[in-house]
Amino acid sequence: IYFEPPDLVRPRIEQLHSEALGLRDYNLVHSMEWARVVLEIRAGNLALGWRMLGEYLQAVERAGHMSMYRQGLLTRAEIALAISGLIDPAAETPSDRPAPPRKRPGLGDFATYLSIKLSGKSQAERDLDRALALNTSRQGPHVARCQIGLGLIAAARRRNAKAREYLEQGLATIAEQDFQILEARARTALERL
């Protein structure tokens, strides 16, 4: 649904969100709120999406919905990593996937972008550390995303030994699973060290 025009998708997500609220099914409510955040970010509404993401994180943490909280932390961290230039979402997107339509950024979007650009690595590091601490299993794609993200931040700060440690942990975490994008992200970063 994220590849369709946002103005067509938004009413469907809003309707599902309203229905979930009516049913008091907070798994669905939180899922639809996360979908709204992703839709706005992908549509180019950075200021709105970033604000909504902050509100979403507060709501799911308050509700004790830790899996959605971890997902939100990862979302915010990877947006910050992208704006900081540490990951390239376009390079990680399959070539046959259409680019979503985006609006022209407004002043609020530019201000949000600059704010994230200035503090992005620190914000991402806090979010990734928190998400990693919440995942006690120490396995799966969420853990690998945290480890690889922390490795990218360490590499950007020229802490090569720490970067190598995190990136190799991330590769080991996904070794038995098929997460090609994460594997490519980690291997590319290791090659740069």
Side-chain angles (χ1 to χ4, degrees), residues 165-182:
E165 178 185 339
Y166 275 128
L167 293 166
E168 288 175 351
Q169 286 174 355
L171 283 171
T173 300
I174 60 173
E176 295 179 10
Q177 301 167 10
D178 187 23
F179 297 110
Q180 294 173 354
I181 291 172
L182 289 176

Side-chain angles (χ1 to χ4, degrees), residues 107-157:
L107 289 177
D109 299 315
F110 281 120
T112 301
Y113 178 89
L114 290 174
S115 173
I116 297 169
K117 184 84 169 163
L118 291 173
S119 63
K121 290 184 203 93
S122 297
Q123 176 71 60
E125 185 174 38
R126 282 190 304 274
D127 287 345
L128 294 169
D129 280 336
R130 180 74 175 128
L132 193 56
L134 290 170
N135 195 321
T136 57
S137 73
R138 292 297 200 221
Q139 55 188 334
H142 282 182
V143 171
R145 287 168 67 189
C146 291
Q147 292 165 327
I148 294 166
L150 290 167
L152 293 171
I153 294 166
R157 293 179 173 157

Side-chain angles (χ1 to χ4, degrees), residues 2-3 14 17 25 29 55 62-64 72 74 81 97 99 115 117 123 132-134 143 150 157 164-165 168-169:
Y2 297 118
F3 307 113
E14 293 295 337
H17 183 253
D25 183 335
V29 168
E55 292 167 358
R62 243 187 345 262
L74 284 166
L81 289 174
R97 185 175 294 169
S115 173
K117 184 84 169 163
Q123 176 71 60
L132 193 56
L134 290 170
V143 171
L150 290 167
R157 293 179 173 157
R164 187 173 308 284
E165 178 185 339
E168 288 175 351
Q169 286 174 355

Side-chain angles (χ1 to χ4, degrees), residues 30 55-66 68-69:
H30 293 148
E55 292 167 358
Y56 166 81
L57 283 165
Q58 290 176 1
V60 292
E61 184 179 29
R62 243 187 345 262
H65 198 165
M66 289 300 110
M68 294 302 289
Y69 183 59

